[in-house]
Amino acid sequence: MEPSEFRRHGHALVDWIAEYLSGAERYPVLSRVSPGDVRNGLPTSAPEHGESFDAIFADFERVLVPALTHWNHPGFLAYFASSASAPGVLAEFLAAARNQQAMLWRTSPASTELEEVSLGWLRQLMGLPDAFEGVIYDTASISSLHALAAAREAAVPAVRNDGLAGRADLPGLSVYCSEHAHSSIDKAVILLGLGHRALRHVPADDQFRMRVDALQDAIAKDRAANLIPVAVVATAGTTSTTSVDPIREIADVCRRESIWLHVDASYAGVTAILPEYRVHFDGWEHADSVVVNPHKWLFTPMDLSAFYCRRMDVVRQAFSLVPEYLRTAEGSRGVRNLMDTGIQLGRRFRSLKLWMVLRHFGAEGVREVLTEHIRLARLFAQWVDEDVEFERLAPVPFRVVCFRARPRAMAAASAAELDTFNEELLAAVNASGDVFLSHTQLNGVLTLRVAIGHLNTAERHVARAWQLLREHTEQLLSLHR
Ligand SMILES: *Cc1c(COP(=O)(O)O)cnc(C)c1O
């Protein structure tokens, strides 16, 4: 592309993006295309001759934009929101242009050292001790995989060399997490060759927190059966309800038992930036590793997961492998080569967006947005609590509200009928295009979730969700009559 052409398209794109970032509400949150629409709208093979960017962009708007689910829509109240803030978008643009590949310090001193600096800032904001060294991975799933790989390295003699298969000298291994832990823990255990049945899903209490007595029982039972406990994963902000496991008590158990403690704070960890919320994370300073996702609640576009580890030497022991063609003189002079702290060799310049986002908002700006989201969640919870047609199904420690409709007119309805009613309600609300909610299951009950977390979500979006829920509840009841 000629430089003059790049300028023309670049300027037009910046205008398009500026319009989009401030006007995502023009679109229905949830895409309305049908499976196959995108595939059928595009040629089945690549063009033989290059095409103009105008033609390419026209197809982007015609075929792809209608098939976008708008994570940047302020009515996105499903799962856990992710915001592409303007400084984050600009950083991605720059990062693509600079195209850094920071496998070695020398292949990108800027990216390598900015990663250390920006993760250091975030660590301080959250009040984690300096003893935690940070590294950026793409997602929490990969961060937790590395945590459990390090735990396996620490617990299993010679695992790096001898592996696990066919070892007569090795008893079974076990990992512990709550029944509400994220499925990425299951996947990590599967991938690390421990076998899915090595994972103990410890029961939770009536507020969805891991029961420490049940954890201790599970460990004792495994020890009695000659198994090696490898790691405990405590979750600070579970996926369904954002409940927080009692980290300090779990840390005490891990210290007594010499078991690796990994804290999955992917979603809620950044809330530790609010001093009055630190109490939820009490004890995480004793963890061996912690994961926090700036791409969830820190206005950083997908993807950026911050992995902090007290024992990064063990991560290096597990993953460092330097072939001759990657040996450098600096390597022996104590610089960090990021390829040593993980499975991937090439890595992109992710720290740039974290650094730009933190500078743009400042700690104060971040605290303001988080505080407002928590206020909105409390407000929504209050609306639910005050309405006899609805019931709340979990405490609200952060900004997710779990609830369902339970109309008085359905007092005699079976559990299955109430589930079906709520499923229909969810579908009707989501079909509006104004908001997007998701669901989970708690104690066997279909549960609706409102998760506030997009940078631009304001009271009117949450109020609109509530209005739609009430209107569609009435409509559905009149249909059923
Ligand atoms: C979102 C989430 C994950 C997975 O995050 P990815 O970055 O998408 O892999 C894991 N654990 C918890 C508690 C989460 O909230």
Side-chain angles (χ1 to χ4, degrees):
M1 196 181 278
E2 291 293 324
S4 62
E5 211 186 328
F6 181 81
R7 268 179 223 280
R8 184 166 70 80
H9 295 305
H11 290 148
L13 257 189
V14 167
D15 285 340
W16 193 95
I17 292 169
E19 184 74 22
Y20 178 66
L21 288 180
S22 60
E25 278 178 72
R26 278 202 316 274
Y27 302 89
V29 194
L30 195 56
S31 167
R32 289 174 172 158
V33 296
S34 302
D37 282 358
V38 174
R39 203 172 43 240
N40 296 334
L42 296 171
T44 50
S45 38
E48 177 65 20
H49 302 290
E51 299 180 61
S52 76
F53 194 76
D54 287 322
I56 301 167
F57 194 74
D59 280 350
F60 168 75
E61 288 203 287
R62 183 179 62 85
V63 183
L64 297 180
V65 171
L68 297 175
T69 286
H70 295 277
W71 286 75
N72 253 350
H73 191 301
F76 190 104
L77 305 172
Y79 316 117
F80 290 134
S82 172
S83 311
S85 62
V89 172
L90 293 174
E92 286 286 45
F93 197 26
L94 269 179
R98 304 312 305 220
N99 199 25
Q100 295 294 283
Q101 206 282 60
M103 53 187 182
L104 297 166
W105 178 86
R106 71 159 54 169
T107 63
S108 184
S111 181
T112 303
E113 295 190 15
L114 189 64
E115 186 155 327
E116 198 173 328
V117 170
S118 55
L119 288 179
W121 288 5
L122 180 60
R123 179 183 58 225
Q124 282 171 24
L125 286 173
M126 297 187 301
L128 265 184
D130 293 349
F132 283 88
E133 187 180 334
V135 63
I136 294 176
Y137 300 125
D138 52 0
T139 57
S141 304
I142 298 302
S143 292
S144 292
L145 173 66
H146 283 86
L148 293 181
R152 188 185 69 163
E153 179 72 23
V156 183
V159 68
R160 176 174 164 133
N161 200 45
D162 296 347
L164 296 174
R167 282 179 65 172
D169 66 323
L170 204 60
L173 307 167
S174 49
V175 174
Y176 309 81
C177 64
S178 112
E179 56 178 316
H180 290 281
H182 191 265
S183 54
S184 55
I185 306 304
D186 301 63
K187 287 194 184 181
V189 166
I190 294 166
L191 183 59
L192 289 167
L194 309 183
H196 202 186
R197 68 188 162 89
L199 186 60
R200 312 277 178 253
H201 286 107
V202 177
D205 65 13
D206 59 359
Q207 301 201 5
F208 312 104
R209 301 169 300 199
M210 189 197 288
R211 272 178 40 209
V212 179
D213 63 313
L215 170 67
Q216 281 171 307
D217 289 349
I219 293 171
K221 195 163 149 248
D222 286 343
R223 291 237 192 254
N226 237 344
L227 304 182
I228 303 180
V230 172
V232 176
V233 180
T235 311
T238 56
T239 314
S240 286
T241 72
T242 72
S243 61
V244 180
D245 292 337
I247 302 174
R248 178 165 296 279
E249 290 170 59
I250 294 172
D252 287 344
V253 172
C254 288
R255 191 161 13 157
R256 267 201 312 277
E257 300 273 351
S258 297
I259 305 176
W260 187 285
L261 173 59
H262 175 57
V263 174
D264 180 357
S266 315
Y267 155 73
V270 296
T271 328
I273 296 175
L274 300 175
E276 65 275 29
Y277 276 80
R278 281 240 175 111
V279 57
H280 288 299
F281 307 93
D282 179 49
W284 73 342
E285 66 276 14
H286 299 300
D288 295 284
S289 54
V290 174
V291 55
V292 172
N293 270 1
H295 72 223
K296 272 199 178 133
W297 203 5
L298 201 58
F299 330 130
T300 308
M302 278 295 286
D303 47 12
L304 198 159
S305 179
F307 178 68
Y308 290 101
C309 189
R310 265 185 185 280
R311 301 169 68 187
M312 205 62 99
D313 54 315
V314 182
V315 177
R316 290 198 177 84
Q317 190 181 307
F319 289 106
S320 179
L321 203 161
V322 185
E324 180 56 29
Y325 47 84
L326 294 176
R327 194 171 54 79
T328 62
E330 309 88 66
S332 55
R333 292 209 313 269
V335 302
R336 273 168 39 118
N337 289 323
L338 291 172
M339 69 173 193
D340 293 337
T341 42
I343 192 69
Q344 67 181 119
L345 176 66
R347 44 198 346 278
R348 55 196 213 89
F349 198 174
R350 288 196 182 86
S351 55
L352 191 62
K353 55 186 170 181
L354 180 58
W355 182 65
M356 289 195 170
V357 164
L358 288 175
R359 288 190 64 175
H360 173 85
F361 287 92
E364 185 188 44
V366 171
R367 284 195 291 265
E368 266 170 27
V369 182
L370 300 190
T371 304
E372 173 63 4
H373 287 166
I374 291 166
R375 184 188 75 81
L376 292 176
R378 296 228 170 112
L379 188 63
F380 188 91
Q382 192 189 331
W383 295 337
V384 170
D385 290 347
E386 288 171 355
D387 193 319
V388 290
E389 307 286 344
F390 288 82
E391 70 176 338
R392 193 146 60 79
L393 297 172
V396 181
F398 304 104
R399 42 95 211 218
V400 169
V401 185
C402 292
F403 65 100
R404 68 168 170 171
R406 194 174 185 181
R408 282 167 301 173
M410 291 182 72
S414 69
E417 282 164 344
L418 272 174
D419 279 0
T420 306
F421 184 87
N422 277 281
E423 241 169 297
E424 287 172 7
L425 176 60
L426 181 64
V429 168
N430 286 343
S432 72
D434 293 352
V435 296
F436 175 29
L437 318 184
S438 60
H439 79 280
T440 186
Q441 200 188 60
L442 296 176
N443 299 319
V445 166
L446 189 111
T447 303
L448 308 184
R449 257 169 109 264
V450 157
I452 295 147
H454 190 273
L455 182 57
N456 297 333
T457 299
E459 190 168 325
R460 65 191 169 89
H461 305 107
V462 181
R464 178 71 182 140
W466 182 234
Q467 182 194 15
L468 285 165
L469 283 159
R470 292 177 55 190
E471 283 174 12
H472 284 291
T473 297
E474 280 186 21
Q475 269 180 32
L476 281 173
L477 283 174
S478 60
L479 282 179
H480 280 244
R481 257 179 226 125

